[in-house]
Amino acid sequence: MTREEKPEKNEGGVRERLLTAALELFNSKGYAAASVREIVAASGVTKPVLYYYFGNKEGLYLELMNGSFAEFESSLSQITTLQGCVTERINHFCAMMLDLIMENIEVVRLIYAIYYGPPQGAPHINFDAYFTRMLDTIHDLVREGIGSGELRPNDSTDVAWTVISILNTAMEEQLCHTPARLDGEQMVRMLRLVMEGLATKSSGAVLGASRL
C-alpha cells in the first residue's frame, strides 16, 4: 500500500471490523484454518488494509489477545485500591474478574481453544502466567486475612485454589452453557459459604451476598 493509498485513521471502524471478523473466524474455523482472504472479505476491506493496520494474521491475533490482557492488567491493578476487609476484597476481585471474562467471552473462548486444543500455529502467549497472577493475588489476600486474624489459620494455598476454582466454574459455565446455569450472584454466594467457614468469631467477617 503506497502513501497515497493509506486509509484514513481507522476510517469507518476498519480496525474494529477486522478484529471482529478475525475473532469470529478464529473461533468458528480455528486459527490455522482462518485465512487472510476470508478475514478481509468478512470485513469488507482489502488485504493491503489488513496489512497496513496489523501486518499479518499473527498481528490480528496478538492485538485480540493484548487488548483483552490489557484490561486484565488494569483490573488486577485495582485490587490494591480496594477498601474493606479481606473477604470483601476477595468477593469484589472475583466478581470483577467474572465481569471481565463475560465482556470478553469470545476472546476467552479462543484462548481455551488455543490452550486445550491441537497446535494451530498461533503466536505463543504464556496463558499460564495470567492464571498464576490471579491465583497469587487471591493467595496474597488470604495470607493477609490469616495474618490479621480475620481468617482462621489454614493452608493459604488450599484456600486460594478453592476460591479460584469457584471463579473458574462460573467462567466455564458462561463458556459452555446458554443460558449459564451459574451466574455472578450465585458465584458470590458460593464464595460466601467458603469465607464464612474461614472467618474467626472475633472478626465477624462475612462475605456480602451482593457485589461491592
Side-chain angles (χ1 to χ4, degrees):
M1 178 176 287
T2 66
R3 184 178 300 275
E4 290 74 18
E5 292 173 315
K6 285 184 179 180
E8 294 296 323
K9 186 177 181 180
N10 202 24
E11 182 179 359
V14 170
R15 281 177 55 86
E16 289 73 20
R17 296 209 310 272
L18 283 164
L19 289 168
T20 298
L23 181 57
E24 290 175 354
L25 285 163
F26 291 161
N27 274 331
S28 63
K29 300 191 68 173
Y31 174 82
S35 67
V36 167
R37 177 183 58 79
E38 291 171 312
I39 293 169
V40 297
S43 306
V45 300
T46 60
K47 287 183 180 180
V49 174
L50 183 152
Y51 299 145
Y52 172 74
Y53 282 111
F54 299 103
N56 49 32
K57 186 172 78 169
E58 290 80 3
L60 268 168
Y61 172 82
L62 290 172
E63 182 66 22
L64 285 167
M65 294 296 141
N66 291 337
S68 295
F69 285 128
E71 292 184 57
F72 170 82
E73 294 289 350
S74 176
S75 296
L76 205 60
S77 67
Q78 293 178 37
I79 194 66
T80 59
T81 66
L82 295 179
Q83 302 297 314
C85 63
V86 163
T87 51
E88 290 172 335
R89 282 183 279 157
I90 289 174
N91 176 21
H92 192 120
F93 176 72
C94 290
M96 191 165 52
M97 287 295 104
L98 184 61
D99 284 344
L100 180 62
I101 288 163
M102 291 171 66
E103 290 167 7
N104 296 275
I105 195 69
E106 293 306 317
V107 175
V108 175
R109 196 180 308 282
L110 177 59
I111 290 171
Y112 264 58
I114 296 293
Y115 187 83
Y116 291 107
Q120 297 190 47
H124 175 72
I125 293 176
N126 187 359
F127 297 125
D128 285 330
Y130 291 96
F131 177 85
T132 299
R133 289 196 63 196
M134 280 200 301
L135 182 63
D136 287 346
T137 297
I138 296 169
H139 192 199
D140 289 344
L141 286 168
V142 172
R143 285 192 296 185
E144 179 185 335
I146 293 172
S148 68
E150 181 182 333
L151 304 178
R152 290 187 290 105
N154 272 282
D155 187 308
S156 57
T157 300
D158 289 349
V159 176
W161 274 104
T162 300
V163 170
I164 206 166
S165 295
I166 293 172
L167 173 58
N168 275 350
T169 299
M171 176 187 69
E172 290 176 4
E173 272 296 312
Q174 302 299 321
L175 280 171
C176 301
H177 296 279
T178 305
R181 300 169 299 180
L182 175 64
D183 60 18
E185 291 183 1
Q186 289 169 296
M187 180 191 72
V188 168
R189 291 200 296 271
M190 293 167 67
L191 288 168
R192 183 183 183 187
L193 287 173
V194 171
M195 302 312 292
E196 282 182 338
L198 293 169
T200 59
K201 291 182 179 180
S202 60
S203 72
V206 176
L207 194 62
S210 61
R211 299 181 184 183
L212 299 179

